[in-house]
Amino acid sequence: MHWHGNAAAGIAMALSLLAALPAASAEAPIRIGSPYATSTLDPMRSAAAGNIETFGQLYSRLLRRGADGALEPGLAVSWDISADGTVVTLKLRDANFSDGSPISAADVAFSLLRVRDDAESAYAAPLQQLKEARAEGDKTVVLTLKHPFAPFLGNLEVFNAGIVSKADVEKRGKDAFTKDPVTSGPYMVGEWRPNDRLILKPNPNYWRVGYPKNAGAELIEVPDANTRVSMMLSGELDAARDIPWSRVSEIQAREGLTLPLEPSTVIYMTLLNEMKPPFDDIKVRQAAAHALDAPAIAKAMTLGHAKRATTTLPAVDYHAADYPGIDYDPAKAKALLAESNYKGEELVILASSSGDNDKLSVLIQAQWTAVGIKSKIEKVDRGVWWERIPAGDYHASASWWYNETLDPDLAVRWALCGSCGSKSFYTGYNNKHVDEMTEAAARELDKAKRAELYREIQATTTTEVSQIPLFYAPYANAYSDRIKGLGMNPMLQWSLEETTVAGE
Amino acid sequence: MMSLPLASTRRQLEPGTFEIIAGTAIILAWVILALAAPLFSGADPNSIDLSGLLQPPSADHFFGTDHLGRDVFTRVLHAARIDVWMGIAGVMPPLLVGATIGLVSGYAGGATDAVMMRLVDITVAFPFFVLVIAIVGILGPGLFNYFVALALVGWVSYARLVRAEVLVLKNKEFVAAAQALGYPPSIIMARHVLPNTLSSLLVYATTDAVLVLLAGASLGFLGLGVQPPTPEWGAMIADGQPYVVDAWWICFFPGLAAMSLGFGFILTSDGLSRVLGR
Amino acid sequence: MPFLFALGQRLLQLIPVLIGISVVSFLLVQLSPGDPIRLLLGDRATAEAVAQLREQYGFDRPLIVQYFSYVSNVLQGDLGRSIRYQLPVESLILDFLPPTLFLIGYVVAISVPTTVVLAIVSARCRDRWPDHLIRAAAILGMTIPVFWLALMMSRLFGVELGWFPVSGYGDGFVGHLHHLFLPAISTSTWLIPLLLRNLRAALINESESDYVTASRSKGLGEGYIFRRHVLVNSVLPTLNLLGVMIAFLIGSSVVVEIIYAVPGLGTLMVSAVLGRDYYVIQGLTLFYAIATVIVTLTIDILSAMIDPRVKL
């Protein structure tokens, strides 16, 4: 018993000592909690959400996005596009890597070609149209394209087009990115504790003089949503990603915290496997779409914080916002089913256990049952989900995706184009006309004509139900008043370098 | 305190009976509630009402509604069908296997003991989550496979527990006497050793049953356990987790149900262990 | 000397244990669906990129070949590199080990004395109010879902009262004590009842056994009987249970680690399993095996010290 008393007294004493310590000082780093992990520091090696957020802090691209979302000069001060649209010449500014060495045209060519060609490159799609990248002297880069390509400048701003040091990568090989990569962005790595946190410290050689406007940041992995909320409420975080919808109003009402619901390119939808019955039949797909009350689903899933989705594309440029979408019409769904090949077999709804997907699956199952589509839910972890979806081992799956840039080209190639490699997000949806329009829209330099093409792509794929669009979810990121100027743009990039800490 | 008599309860009549009756009554009550769930609440446990999300408890919805507008009261009752069974089926196979291994291992000693205990080491050290993804991958997701996973791992605690008891028991006079009289080991184990381990076995098994009821929820994210939307207390608790502050009733009532069933198990075992202990 | 001999014997027995565990876990992980490369590269990676990288990592070779090349690396002291992080597995494990060990030590330091005191009080006051109170509290502690308790405590003591941090591991010994207080209490809440009920039952069982009655009839004092006979004989099963629980906790204190965002082995294992990071899973498995054998051996040695009739 004595031991107990002593321990209690000891703990109490320790606590009073700790309580006397000052709360987070102005010099303390900005702490950001996110469920999305940083799993690599090499910008070409992953296209997963957490890494996309990190790459933006470590590597500058040739172009950057301003606060209004418009493309601005980044490492390139200016650029010139040839009359036929196939040669882009960029002038680099005088800028240095974090190790003090100059960023040269050779580094730029190396970084871009690496993304296009390296076997370990996760996402070469944005640079597929790049035929040749050539350094002309130290400060001029000449990029030759296979054909005119409207989204190209935007694609130079995509997360994996960050510039890395050619000399360092060639010298250290893979080890260049395991601990302390040479960076070109606002920050460099203070310490990386994989599976826990990434500590960022300002890059003294960053080309934007006067930035970052803070002493550093910690990107902390906090997988549990309630824990992130508790940490925000107790002041252990300055910002948090993905606050659950059920806690949004609580955070918004709390003094010292804000939750602005920022626009994103996230779309929630339902994949229908068109490579096998019954969803190979367009009537069954249309029935399945008319059976879903998308506005009610959006409201129930996000407690009214999201807008229903009206087309198969998320809120990117050229989004046909006035398109009416697929209406909720159970009677029509039943009629379509009666005309179709569906004979009441039980379908598998594959639900990934991450996020809200299982909840969404339950809603879809119930609304399908009401019109006579029978189904059972199989809940699996992401690893199994990503094995079964590409293999076509499912009938339907509720999920979500986002686009990493505002131009719709990459989104269309990923989710709607049958011949672009991912078989329309592994649904097997394949419409030759859509594929042709995809190529035509990418080559079309006239904005009005592009808009017309993308509108037709959206209309066709929505009518043919390549996927069932459900809702567009904004980011629910929470911010503390201790920091000013932090936000996330639709490309998953934090404005961390602009952020100031109150009292500094 | 140290000078208080140890056996002060000996004068009580039939100790343990009250616990057995009370505990069994709770379990039986849940069995009846489960079987008669449609009588108590006519609603479909999976019926969704998007116009009535997150309603607090009221006369219409005794336990409120959940994030999909489903009636929590109805779901709690229907879930009992799975959970009562889960508490029993999840514990019995590991108990039987573990007790047998512990008994043999402890009594035989030597090489048998060493081999069996190393098997225990392998099982304890084996990462449960690896087993779970393998089972889901090979056998598929679902409730039955949850029991398989439990059985493959759960026997260890019983084996260590029984073995430790046996190590103490086998040095006791009555065992030595039986050995001297020439009884074969199987008889000695069954008649003299096993009955003396039963009380701690039962005590642990009921504790284990409670853990089994709640563990299903924490494995749901790997696809093991009941599949949505089937009502099950553990899964309901997990579903309600994001709403635990705003809509406490989604987690609270299934939690209370699990606690009351657990209480029934524990009372029964306390009573049984007393009756058997003499 | 017998201890040293037993230790040597155990270490020899460790070899088949390690082989057994490594083979089974290697096969299970590799046969499970889910591809580390796909998860690593992200959603939009093309099938060609995935296939190419699989080949580069050698995942397309026959399993048996992969296993032997893994084992031969391990024998040279190389546990491999994390597929996700490109870092040596042993350095990852060592980074995540301290919080888990500290937490377990903390839990044991809270649970064991509490259990012993409460069990003795409960057994000796059997069927009177202290016993009823303790047993009711034990049932409550056991049946409360851990995550719920953890959430409520972080809300009350962390957010509302601000006494304890709701996350992390802290700096320095005092910092660890402070940060891990809520996680340790949350874990102890289910561990204490588990041990307590076991010990109480054993205590009561022993106090009613024939030889205790005999001792009592010889006129020996209750306190003496209790210390010399009852406690000694009762404590062994509970000690064994504690051993199993500690071994489980090393790898499975996941819920608590995740809710309190403690960077421990449990979180590492879950993310490695979800990311199919084969070599990290393998390395952790081997580490668990060694830790389990050490814990078991310690428990067995303690058992032999408490009751000399128990042979190692």
Side-chain angles (χ1 to χ4, degrees):
Chain A
M1 276 314 232
H2 279 294
W3 182 90
H4 239 66
N6 288 338
I11 290 168
M13 203 175 74
L15 294 187
S16 58
L17 277 174
L18 282 160
L21 291 174
S25 73
E27 283 302 306
I30 297 163
R31 298 152 304 170
I32 302 176
S34 167
Y36 306 109
T38 295
S39 62
T40 175
L41 304 177
D42 184 344
M44 87 174 176
R45 217 168 158 262
S46 171
N51 294 318
I52 293 180
E53 292 164 32
T54 298
F55 296 152
Q57 304 310 321
L58 296 178
Y59 307 100
S60 282
R61 276 93 70 173
L62 292 170
L63 284 80
R64 64 190 296 275
R65 296 263 178 196
D68 56 352
L71 286 171
E72 287 178 358
L75 285 174
V77 199
S78 62
W79 49 87
D80 181 61
I81 303 173
S82 67
D84 68 346
T86 57
V87 181
V88 182
T89 310
L90 301 104
K91 285 262 178 290
L92 300 186
R93 68 176 74 240
D94 281 323
N96 291 331
F97 284 112
S98 57
D99 65 353
S101 61
I103 299 175
S104 71
D107 292 309
V108 172
F110 171 80
S111 301
L112 298 182
L113 292 177
R114 190 167 171 265
V115 171
R116 189 191 67 180
D117 299 334
D118 197 294
E120 295 202 29
S121 176
Y123 189 41
L127 296 174
Q128 277 310 296
Q129 289 75 10
L130 178 66
K131 192 164 90 186
E132 195 188 10
R134 195 161 41 84
E136 249 176 32
D138 271 355
K139 293 293 169 192
T140 306
V141 188
V142 181
L143 304 176
T144 315
L145 306 182
K146 291 175 184 161
H147 51 74
F149 185 55
F152 189 69
L153 285 178
N155 285 5
L156 289 179
E157 188 273 334
V158 166
F159 66 91
N160 63 359
I163 305 306
V164 300
S165 160
K166 180 175 188 238
D168 185 60
V169 174
E170 282 176 348
K171 191 176 95 195
R172 290 198 286 173
K174 275 187 182 175
D175 287 331
F177 296 101
T178 51
K179 265 201 164 70
D180 52 344
V182 172
T183 69
S184 52
Y187 294 93
M188 48 201 274
V189 174
E191 189 192 350
W192 183 34
R193 297 187 213 145
N195 211 45
D196 177 22
R197 69 191 63 205
L198 175 69
I199 300 170
L200 297 172
K201 59 179 185 188
N203 170 7
N205 295 312
Y206 183 44
W207 60 270
R208 283 184 83 197
V209 180
Y211 293 89
K213 290 180 171 174
N214 50 64
E218 288 189 18
L219 307 180
I220 307 169
E221 285 174 39
V222 186
D224 187 78
N226 279 317
T227 307
R228 289 195 299 279
V229 173
S230 296
M231 289 171 78
M232 281 307 294
L233 295 176
S234 70
E236 285 166 53
L237 285 180
D238 300 307
R241 284 274 274 137
D242 279 14
I243 299 297
W245 301 111
S246 57
R247 310 289 298 270
V248 165
S249 53
E250 181 191 357
I251 297 261
Q252 285 176 332
R254 185 96 173 185
E255 195 161 335
L257 299 182
T258 52
L259 200 160
L261 291 175
E262 297 153 285
S264 81
T265 67
V266 172
I267 177 173
Y268 277 78
M269 44 85 226
T270 298
L271 300 173
L272 302 174
N273 185 353
E274 294 161 37
M275 293 174 279
K276 61 183 183 186
F279 289 127
D280 56 343
D281 181 349
I282 185 170
K283 286 195 171 127
V284 186
R285 296 204 301 272
Q286 287 171 335
H290 283 297
L292 296 185
D293 185 354
I297 290 177
K299 187 154 182 274
M301 289 295 294
T302 66
L303 300 175
H305 294 299
K307 274 195 304 199
R308 70 154 306 182
T310 47
T311 84
T312 45
L313 278 188
V316 289
D317 293 344
Y318 307 109
H319 178 247
D322 55 341
Y323 190 79
I326 308 172
D327 57 328
Y328 172 53
D329 189 344
K332 193 170 176 190
K334 281 182 193 159
L336 281 162
L337 269 190
E339 298 167 21
S340 76
N341 294 329
Y342 180 65
K343 294 288 171 281
E345 37 305 15
E346 189 181 62
L347 309 179
V348 172
I349 301 179
L350 197 64
S352 154
S353 57
S354 56
D356 276 346
N357 297 331
D358 58 333
K359 197 170 135 185
L360 189 51
S361 304
V362 171
L363 272 178
I364 290 165
Q365 183 190 42
Q367 300 195 342
W368 280 356
T369 308
V371 300
I373 301 175
K374 291 202 194 96
S375 60
K376 67 168 178 177
I377 295 170
E378 286 188 19
K379 191 174 166 182
V380 294
D381 83 288
R382 257 175 61 82
V384 178
W385 196 86
W386 271 113
E387 184 128 323
R388 287 180 61 177
I389 293 289
D393 183 10
Y394 73 104
H395 289 113
S397 184
S399 189
W400 57 275
W401 58 280
Y402 52 78
N403 200 42
E404 55 285 298
T405 184
L406 290 178
D407 193 280
D409 179 60
L410 289 167
V412 171
R413 286 175 195 276
W414 160 244
L416 306 172
C417 165
S419 61
C420 296
S422 54
K423 294 191 263 180
S424 306
F425 201 157
Y426 304 110
T427 57
Y429 173 78
N430 198 352
N431 181 329
K432 278 222 164 61
H433 185 50
V434 169
D435 296 359
E436 284 161 15
M437 284 193 288
T438 304
E439 289 303 333
R443 285 159 214 245
E444 179 58 66
L445 301 178
D446 182 279
K447 283 190 177 172
K449 285 181 185 159
R450 275 195 93 195
E452 203 44 54
L453 284 166
Y454 283 118
R455 188 181 173 81
E456 199 182 337
I457 290 176
Q458 290 171 77
T460 309
T461 54
T462 308
T463 316
E464 294 184 352
V465 197
S466 67
Q467 305 167 4
I468 307 177
L470 294 174
F471 56 92
Y472 303 125
Y475 296 128
N477 297 337
Y479 303 97
S480 145
D481 288 351
R482 194 176 85 89
I483 54 168
K484 293 239 169 339
L486 186 60
M488 179 172 264
N489 73 13
M491 282 67 67
L492 290 162
Q493 301 295 306
W494 292 111
S495 60
L496 192 53
E497 56 188 289
E498 327 268 351
T499 308
T500 54
V501 177
E504 247 177 326
Chain B
M1 268 229 220
M2 285 305 222
S3 61
L4 285 171
L6 279 165
S8 62
T9 57
R10 293 220 152 185
R11 61 199 149 75
Q12 268 188 350
L13 284 171
E14 311 221 19
T17 320
F18 171 75
E19 279 106 322
I20 295 180
I21 293 173
T24 322
I26 295 177
I27 299 172
L28 272 181
W30 271 116
V31 172
I32 292 167
L33 281 174
L35 293 176
L39 296 178
F40 290 100
S41 172
D44 173 357
N46 295 328
S47 138
I48 286 171
D49 175 13
L50 294 187
S51 59
L53 308 179
L54 307 172
Q55 300 286 311
S58 67
D60 287 342
H61 301 286
F62 300 141
F63 292 174
T65 64
D66 70 3
H67 52 286
L68 297 176
R70 298 174 294 192
D71 183 50
V72 175
F73 177 69
T74 311
R75 285 179 71 74
V76 165
L77 288 189
H78 280 82
R81 294 174 172 201
I82 286 175
D83 282 285
V84 172
W85 189 58
M86 206 156 121
I88 297 162
V91 166
M92 285 315 282
L95 185 149
L96 293 176
V97 174
T100 312
I101 289 181
L103 197 61
V104 173
S105 180
Y107 193 81
T112 318
D113 186 35
V115 169
M116 296 220 176
M117 286 305 109
R118 295 304 75 77
L119 201 61
V120 166
D121 286 347
I122 293 181
T123 314
V124 173
F126 199 83
F128 190 48
F129 292 103
V130 172
L131 191 73
V132 170
I133 56 159
I135 286 177
V136 173
I138 296 160
L139 302 176
L143 182 62
F144 179 77
N145 297 331
Y146 172 55
F147 295 144
V148 173
L150 287 178
L152 284 174
V153 174
W155 62 274
V156 175
S157 312
Y158 295 96
R160 284 288 303 187
L161 199 64
V162 169
R163 176 179 172 272
E165 294 256 9
V166 171
L167 289 184
V168 175
L169 285 169
K170 78 174 179 186
N171 295 312
K172 293 243 165 121
E173 295 86 349
F174 60 85
V175 175
Q179 280 166 336
L181 289 172
Y183 284 109
S186 56
I187 300 281
I188 299 178
M189 281 198 279
R191 288 221 190 127
H192 301 284
V193 181
L194 185 61
N196 281 294
T197 64
L198 272 182
S199 78
S200 61
L201 255 187
L202 272 172
V203 169
Y204 182 73
T206 50
T207 316
D208 196 27
V210 178
L211 294 179
V212 164
L213 283 182
L214 298 174
S218 58
L219 292 172
F221 77 102
L222 288 173
L224 211 58
V226 297
Q227 294 294 302
T230 314
E232 190 272 317
W233 295 333
M236 290 171 73
I237 294 172
D239 275 352
Q241 201 168 337
Y243 306 91
V244 74
V245 177
D246 293 3
W248 53 270
W249 52 90
I250 305 180
C251 283
F252 180 78
F253 290 107
L256 203 63
M259 278 171 81
S260 70
L261 180 62
F263 188 63
F265 281 133
I266 290 169
L267 270 185
T268 314
S269 85
D270 281 6
L272 278 176
S273 74
R274 269 196 190 189
V275 172
L276 291 169
R278 37 196 49 247
Chain C
M1 268 302 124
F3 280 165
L4 282 182
F5 178 71
L7 188 68
Q9 208 175 20
R10 273 302 167 80
L11 290 177
L12 277 180
Q13 289 173 356
L14 183 62
I15 295 167
V17 170
L18 288 182
I19 294 175
I21 290 182
S22 77
V23 172
V24 177
S25 70
F26 191 87
L27 286 178
L28 282 186
V29 173
Q30 301 257 351
L31 291 175
S32 299
D35 181 347
I37 304 299
R38 161 65 69 183
L39 294 169
L40 171 79
L41 293 180
D43 302 359
R44 299 217 183 164
T46 58
E48 294 80 54
V50 173
Q52 204 154 10
L53 207 54
R54 281 185 68 81
E55 192 185 323
Q56 193 173 322
Y57 277 88
F59 294 148
D60 56 342
R61 293 176 300 164
L63 271 186
I64 185 95
V65 178
Q66 290 186 52
Y67 181 72
F68 279 110
S69 89
Y70 172 72
V71 169
S72 74
N73 286 336
V74 170
L75 289 178
Q76 290 159 34
D78 177 11
L79 287 179
R81 274 177 172 232
S82 157
I83 299 164
R84 289 174 302 164
Y85 305 129
Q86 300 286 300
L87 292 169
V89 169
E90 54 270 24
S91 81
L92 269 178
I93 293 180
L94 288 178
D95 284 348
F96 285 81
L97 180 61
T100 299
L101 280 189
F102 198 97
L103 180 60
I104 291 175
Y106 207 166
V107 167
V108 170
I110 292 173
S111 302
V112 169
T114 316
T115 302
V116 172
V117 170
L118 290 181
I120 292 174
V121 170
S122 195
R124 302 202 62 174
C125 302
R126 190 179 177 191
D127 287 327
R128 281 177 294 123
W129 67 265
D131 182 33
H132 292 313
L133 196 70
I134 290 169
R135 286 168 65 199
I139 294 178
L140 196 69
M142 233 161 38
T143 46
I144 287 185
V146 176
F147 91 83
W148 190 83
L149 183 77
L151 268 172
M152 288 300 133
M153 290 210 303
S154 73
R155 179 120 196 130
L156 178 64
F157 296 111
V159 175
E160 301 304 334
L161 297 172
W163 291 357
F164 296 98
V166 298
S167 69
Y169 178 46
D171 296 317
F173 187 76
V174 176
H176 300 335
L177 278 183
H178 192 195
H179 275 80
L180 294 182
F181 182 76
L182 293 180
I185 292 290
S186 304
T187 309
S188 304
T189 305
W190 64 263
L191 184 60
I192 292 173
L194 200 78
L195 301 173
L196 169 67
R197 289 172 49 75
N198 190 270
L199 184 58
R200 176 185 174 277
L203 284 173
I204 288 173
N205 209 15
E206 285 298 324
S207 68
E208 286 176 356
S209 66
D210 298 338
Y211 72 94
V212 172
T213 316
S215 314
R216 212 173 270 132
S217 66
K218 279 189 245 163
L220 295 172
E222 284 293 338
Y224 175 82
I225 297 173
F226 194 85
R227 282 190 302 271
R228 278 306 293 269
H229 298 290
V230 178
L231 199 53
V232 164
N233 282 324
S234 309
V235 99
L236 288 188
T238 310
L239 194 61
N240 274 275
L241 196 56
L242 176 68
V244 175
M245 288 302 145
I246 291 178
F248 271 133
L249 278 178
I250 293 177
S252 310
S253 48
V254 175
V255 174
V256 161
E257 282 186 11
I258 286 183
I259 291 189
Y260 291 109
V262 178
L265 291 179
T267 49
L268 182 64
M269 186 53 145
V270 168
S271 81
V273 165
L274 289 178
R276 306 293 191 272
D277 200 339
Y278 296 154
Y279 302 124
V280 176
I281 298 176
Q282 262 332 98
L284 277 171
T285 306
L286 290 182
F287 174 79
Y288 290 171
I290 294 168
T292 307
V293 169
I294 292 172
V295 171
T296 320
L297 182 63
T298 314
I299 296 291
D300 287 350
I301 289 174
L302 278 177
S303 300
M305 280 161 63
I306 291 170
D307 185 347
R309 287 170 300 179
V310 175
K311 291 192 200 78
L312 276 172

